[in-house]
Amino acid sequence: MASQFPNLFSPIQIGNMTVRNRIVNTAHGTNFARDHMVTDRHIHYHVERAKGGVGMSIMEATSVHPSYDIGVMNTIWSFDERNIPWFRRLSRAVHQHQAKILVQLNHGGRQSSNSETMMPSMAPSPVPSPDLWETGAEVPHEMDEDDIMEIVRAFGQAAAVVKEGGMDGVELHGGHGNLIQQFMSPWVNRRGDQYGGSIDNRLRFANQVIGEVRRNVGDEFVVGMRISGDEFVSGGLTLDDMQEIARRLAATGQIDYFNVSNSTYSDVKSMTAHIPSMYVAPATYSYLWEGIKNAVDIPVIGVGRINTADLAEWVLAERKADMVGMVRELIADPYLPNKAREGKLDDIRACVACLESCIGRLERGLSISCIYNPVSGREREWSDLKPASTRKSLFVVGGGPAGLEAARVAAVRGHEVTLFEKSEQLGGQVKTAAQAPYREEFGGIVGYLESQVRKLGVDVVLGKEASEEMILEANPHAVVIATGSNAYIPQVPGSELGIVISAKDAMEGKVDLGEKIVVVDTQGLHPGSDVAELLADQGKEVQLITTKPYVGASIELLTWRILYQRLMEKGVKMFPSVGLKEIGEDSVTVYSTITKEEWQISAVDAVVFAAGGQADNGLYRALKGKLRELFAVGDCVAPRGVEQAVYEGHKVGREL
């Protein structure tokens, strides 16, 4: 009930706009745009969160000028008048559900990749991004005053387009190492003219942008600014600096709120604080929000792993911030606000901060989703889950994420579902993955799915392996096979020896491995790095070899950055671009994939393979052609990730 969260569900005034509660879907990339235009996917995505009870949404960082683009994402051009009808459709649709929606205006400056427009990136000084994870590190064009005023006018033009589109306001992106922050920061701004040097000069560009935006939208339209409370780079802006900057900008009377995040995209370690994974404790950076709030008298939004309604209420009650940004939480469950307000906390699908399907998909040039909410990003097709026209008896064989999601969706639609799991607990390989250091939250995927299937009345049968004979005798209307996969051990000379073990068995502690371990990672995913870290924590001497160009090459970048540092600090010896040639009784022969040079690692007690799985599809093949409806989902089709398994389970649950 709302009384459990009196602060979270109280309205707030921002400028002339009243927001119904304190929950904000802050700006984040989606990669839904096409040809730099808003699309139906944006509309359905934001409407779903408005229906779910969010107070305010801020649309993703849009480009105010053709000189700013991001190579891995299609960026909305907010200056383009072709987007006015789209903004109108979006704002009207969101307003029907009593939520507010703004648009973030941005120019990335040196953090641009203009491979499409072929325009150079630009910045206050010709200082490249040293560690830019998205777009490379070209030396930017140093902006002269004509360039500066062109971009200032572009911000104003974009704001006018957004206002014409019926949106509730704009948010100027002055954080994350983008152009406004580049002018503010002595780390980037090395100018000797009126735009560099003193704090007044370094704020000149920001003040000109704010003034031009106000000139185009008037005093009644909401104008906010996102800022980084700390850049987290040597020589960059600190909290003390940002408090003074915030005070000066607020004193103009032209900014209605601050949205306080942190970091710069130009440094990967810094970015691990901006988009914190499960390796970072929730609300770690609340001191930044509080620091800015104490410096100004306008509302402050706090952003950074506020992952539960209880924590959000604490942030507000302790006056750390006036509003709470809960982006990934709303990606995982758009209905979190309504569920929290109604006291249905157990029904909230919590974000596990894995980063795999939100930012991880963006890193690969894909549109966002959620590792265990496949509706997220597919709202246009899947937001409505219709009851089944005919109630069927359904057997689901396998209690991993694919089987659990198939059972959940089928039960929601009204089918009579029985789920068989041969082990004594549900979860499949997710429960193994959650045993890795600092990855306990990953188990929340199974925790949610199990609680939901039990609440929905699914008959969960543990410790019983469903056989072909049993299923044929029961003759249910439909059967979903979700039997997963078994560990794959590559066939190299010596792989049959007793010192060889899978990463799964090593994670579960099934055998005594001895003291000197060689981990062979053929995929660059979590299992190889995770088992290496777990064994290092046990005091083992661990060497990790991989044919990939670096260890963990297929792990989401911001998660990888923290994990890789821990592996180094814990003494794991890592050998990239190295393959395994042969396993002996107590040694392995390895080789460089570059030079083909071979060498031997001796006195080896165990060889641990992290090489993926092999589909356990025997039951599916035995039943094929013998049942009215038979489906296979997840790893028993082909061993992949949790996202694919849940997607397939969900899809089949809808199709039954």
Side-chain angles (χ1 to χ4, degrees):
M1 295 178 290
S3 59
Q4 186 177 350
F5 305 105
N7 294 289
L8 191 59
F9 291 102
S10 63
I12 186 171
Q13 194 73 20
I14 300 178
N16 292 300
M17 177 179 70
T18 302
V19 183
R20 61 179 168 181
N21 62 48
R22 306 301 180 96
I23 301 172
V24 186
N25 186 32
T26 51
H28 56 285
T30 61
N31 210 16
F32 295 160
R34 292 295 177 267
D35 189 29
H36 304 293
M37 300 286 287
V38 178
T39 66
D40 280 329
R41 290 187 74 183
H42 288 108
I43 295 171
H44 287 276
Y45 179 80
H46 286 288
V47 165
E48 189 77 353
R49 280 134 192 91
K51 288 165 60 178
V54 74
M56 181 171 85
S57 282
I58 305 169
M59 202 171 187
E60 61 207 68
T62 64
S63 175
V64 301
H65 191 269
S67 59
Y68 169 52
D69 201 6
I70 302 175
V72 296
M73 281 193 286
N74 195 304
T75 310
I76 296 169
W77 282 359
S78 48
F79 61 88
D80 191 334
E81 293 183 354
R82 293 181 303 159
N83 272 311
I84 291 175
W86 284 102
F87 284 140
R88 285 177 179 157
R89 286 181 58 191
L90 174 58
S91 59
R92 288 169 183 165
V94 168
H95 291 158
Q96 286 178 4
H97 301 282
Q98 293 75 54
K100 304 297 183 183
I101 185 160
L102 288 71
V103 176
Q104 190 178 81
L105 307 182
N106 189 33
H107 193 294
R110 66 177 185 167
Q111 296 181 165
S112 301
S113 176
N114 299 319
S115 54
E116 179 183 346
T117 64
M118 302 300 289
M119 300 178 73
S121 62
M122 58 176 68
S125 301
V127 179
S129 297
D131 191 18
L132 187 57
W133 62 282
E134 281 186 329
T135 56
E138 66 182 58
V139 178
H141 163 69
E142 183 175 20
M143 299 171 72
D144 61 25
E145 290 197 28
D146 288 341
D147 297 323
I148 290 171
M149 294 315 299
E150 181 176 348
I151 300 304
V152 167
R153 289 190 294 271
F155 270 96
Q157 164 67 15
V161 167
V162 170
K163 183 179 180 182
E164 182 69 18
M167 306 296 270
D168 295 301
V170 293
E171 179 177 277
L172 310 178
H173 203 332
H176 302 168
N178 289 298
L179 185 59
I180 293 175
Q181 182 173 317
Q182 288 165 32
F183 271 94
M184 293 177 182
S185 175
W187 188 53
V188 183
N189 187 342
R190 315 285 174 83
R191 299 175 74 97
D193 62 3
Q194 62 177 332
Y195 289 95
S198 70
I199 188 170
D200 285 333
N201 284 353
R202 286 184 282 114
L203 281 177
R204 191 177 306 279
F205 178 70
N207 280 316
Q208 287 177 332
V209 168
I210 294 167
E212 181 68 10
V213 167
R214 275 292 176 209
R215 190 181 71 79
N216 278 269
V217 301
D219 295 333
E220 304 301 310
F221 198 61
V222 171
V223 177
M225 179 175 280
R226 169 164 267 193
I227 59 175
S228 290
D230 194 314
E231 285 193 287
F232 292 132
V233 291
S234 178
L237 296 165
T238 65
L239 175 57
D240 287 343
D241 297 324
M242 290 309 303
Q243 285 177 310
E244 181 60 25
I245 285 172
R247 272 192 290 266
R248 291 175 181 235
L249 294 177
T252 66
Q254 296 185 306
I255 292 292
D256 293 311
Y257 72 87
F258 284 117
N259 179 353
V260 182
S261 179
N262 58 62
S263 305
T264 168
Y265 281 110
S266 294
D267 182 270
V268 175
K269 184 177 182 181
S270 172
M271 282 304 298
T272 63
H274 163 47
I275 309 176
S277 69
M278 63 179 70
Y279 295 152
V280 180
T284 290
Y285 303 103
S286 62
Y287 71 95
L288 297 176
W289 324 329
E290 184 177 27
I292 300 300
K293 178 174 168 56
N294 290 339
V296 300
D297 58 1
I298 57 176
V300 167
I301 304 170
V303 180
R305 246 202 123 198
I306 305 172
N307 64 341
T308 67
D310 286 319
L311 181 57
E313 178 68 20
W314 175 85
V315 167
L316 299 171
E318 294 296 316
R319 299 184 59 78
K320 305 288 185 182
D322 301 293
M323 302 182 79
V324 288
M326 301 185 76
V327 170
R328 285 179 289 162
E329 292 70 29
L330 291 164
I331 294 173
D333 195 334
Y335 288 83
L336 180 153
N338 285 348
K339 291 175 182 178
R341 183 170 48 81
E342 296 165 6
K344 299 177 180 178
L345 301 183
D346 291 341
D347 291 335
I348 293 173
R349 184 189 289 102
C351 171
V352 298
C354 66
L355 306 188
E356 292 186 21
S357 305
C358 48
I359 189 69
R361 285 178 61 88
L362 292 182
E363 290 170 8
R364 304 194 302 275
L366 304 173
S367 56
I368 62 168
S369 188
C370 172
I371 192 169
Y372 75 125
N373 181 8
V375 178
S376 206
R378 301 180 180 91
E379 290 81 6
R380 179 177 55 186
E381 299 84 7
W382 278 359
S383 63
D384 293 328
L385 185 58
K386 297 178 180 178
S389 57
T390 303
R391 190 168 193 254
K392 299 177 181 178
S393 59
L394 169 67
F395 280 9
V396 177
V397 183
L404 283 166
E405 179 68 359
R408 184 191 72 82
V409 174
V412 169
R413 297 185 61 228
H415 293 305
E416 179 186 356
V417 184
T418 303
L419 186 150
F420 297 93
E421 167 54 46
K422 66 181 180 181
S423 72
E424 294 297 334
Q425 62 181 128
L426 298 170
Q429 296 191 46
V430 169
K431 66 178 184 288
T432 303
Q435 295 178 33
Y438 307 100
R439 284 180 63 79
E440 298 88 351
E441 283 185 70
F442 203 67
I445 295 172
V446 171
Y448 169 80
L449 291 173
E450 179 175 1
S451 70
Q452 291 300 299
V453 297
R454 292 188 183 279
K455 183 176 290 190
L456 289 163
V458 172
D459 183 12
V460 177
V461 181
L462 298 177
K464 182 172 183 178
E465 185 169 4
S467 66
E468 176 189 0
E469 295 75 16
M470 183 203 79
I471 292 171
L472 291 176
E473 182 178 350
N475 193 28
H477 288 100
V479 175
V480 175
I481 304 299
T483 44
S485 62
N486 300 309
Y488 172 61
I489 303 296
Q491 296 301 300
V492 298
S495 60
E496 75 285 353
L497 295 174
I499 68 169
V500 174
I501 186 174
S502 70
K504 180 178 184 294
D505 286 347
M507 289 287 293
E508 295 175 355
K510 290 187 174 180
V511 296
D512 181 9
L513 298 179
E515 297 304 315
K516 187 172 181 179
I517 316 297
V518 173
V519 175
V520 182
D521 181 6
T522 67
Q523 295 186 305
L525 294 166
H526 267 287
S529 296
D530 285 352
V531 74
E533 182 176 22
L534 180 71
L535 295 172
D537 285 348
Q538 295 171 0
K540 313 292 188 185
E541 180 185 338
V542 182
Q543 299 186 57
L544 196 166
I545 69 170
T546 180
T547 55
K548 302 294 183 181
Y550 57 91
V551 167
S554 301
I555 297 173
E556 184 281 321
L557 182 64
L558 303 182
T559 306
W560 167 85
R561 175 60 178 78
I562 297 175
L563 174 57
Y564 194 83
Q565 181 173 339
R566 288 206 309 264
L567 291 174
M568 295 178 70
E569 292 170 347
K570 293 177 180 182
V572 174
K573 297 177 182 177
M574 294 178 277
F575 299 93
S577 300
V578 170
L580 176 66
K581 181 178 181 181
E582 185 176 2
I583 303 170
E585 292 289 346
D586 61 356
S587 65
V588 296
T589 302
V590 298
Y591 65 94
S592 166
T593 61
I594 309 299
T595 67
K596 306 305 179 183
E597 175 190 0
E598 297 181 8
W599 67 95
Q600 190 175 82
I601 303 173
S602 59
V604 174
D605 295 314
V607 178
V608 177
F609 273 101
Q614 288 184 307
D616 183 357
N617 55 18
L619 182 59
Y620 173 77
R621 291 186 173 183
L623 291 169
K624 195 170 183 180
K626 300 177 182 178
L627 294 166
R628 287 169 284 183
E629 293 184 74
L630 177 66
F631 305 88
V633 296
D635 278 10
C636 76
V637 177
R640 290 153 293 160
V642 174
E643 180 186 0
Q644 291 81 4
V646 174
Y647 171 87
E648 288 181 355
H650 187 95
K651 186 171 183 288
V652 164
R654 284 178 173 270
E655 293 172 351
L656 286 163

